[in-house]
Amino acid sequence: VSLIDNYHSMLTTSDDDKREVAEILESLKFINEDYYKVLLQKFFYGMTNREIGEKNGYSGEAARKKVKKALQVCREIVYSNVG
């Protein structure tokens, strides 16, 4: 989960960890396309919440909430695959 929470850690992670993150994001894509999109914008393109909101037609605060919810869903995916 820390890989998703901290984009900078992705720069030094192993290929296996990067594959795991990609699999989590792919799972998220099937659950909610909007969450998938905001996480890509936030953590892979380095966009701010304000930039994400402007790009998608909503406020920066709405973007912040979507990113937060998307991370929560990712955590649920990770934890459901652990047990």
Side-chain angles (χ1 to χ4, degrees):
V1 177
S2 63
L3 295 176
I4 295 168
D5 290 334
N6 185 352
Y7 168 73
H8 299 290
S9 69
M10 298 255 333
L11 300 176
T12 59
T13 58
S14 71
D15 288 341
D16 287 340
D17 288 340
K18 288 178 183 178
R19 268 192 295 280
E20 184 178 349
V21 170
E23 289 172 13
I24 292 166
L25 287 174
E26 275 302 306
S27 297
L28 182 64
K29 187 176 182 180
F30 292 106
I31 294 170
N32 186 309
E33 183 77 27
D34 196 40
Y35 291 163
Y36 172 78
K37 181 171 56 173
V38 298
L39 288 183
L40 284 180
Q41 291 170 331
K42 183 73 171 179
F43 296 106
F44 289 93
Y45 300 120
M47 295 171 71
T48 65
N49 292 335
R50 187 170 131 214
E51 291 170 331
I52 293 168
E54 288 174 0
K55 178 82 173 170
N56 297 307
Y58 41 78
S59 70
E61 180 62 17
R64 184 191 67 77
K65 289 178 181 179
K66 286 179 185 285
V67 168
K68 183 177 178 179
K69 179 64 177 171
L71 289 171
Q72 178 184 349
V73 171
C74 284
R75 286 183 191 97
E76 291 169 4
I77 292 169
V78 168
Y79 294 138
S80 71
N81 290 329
V82 171

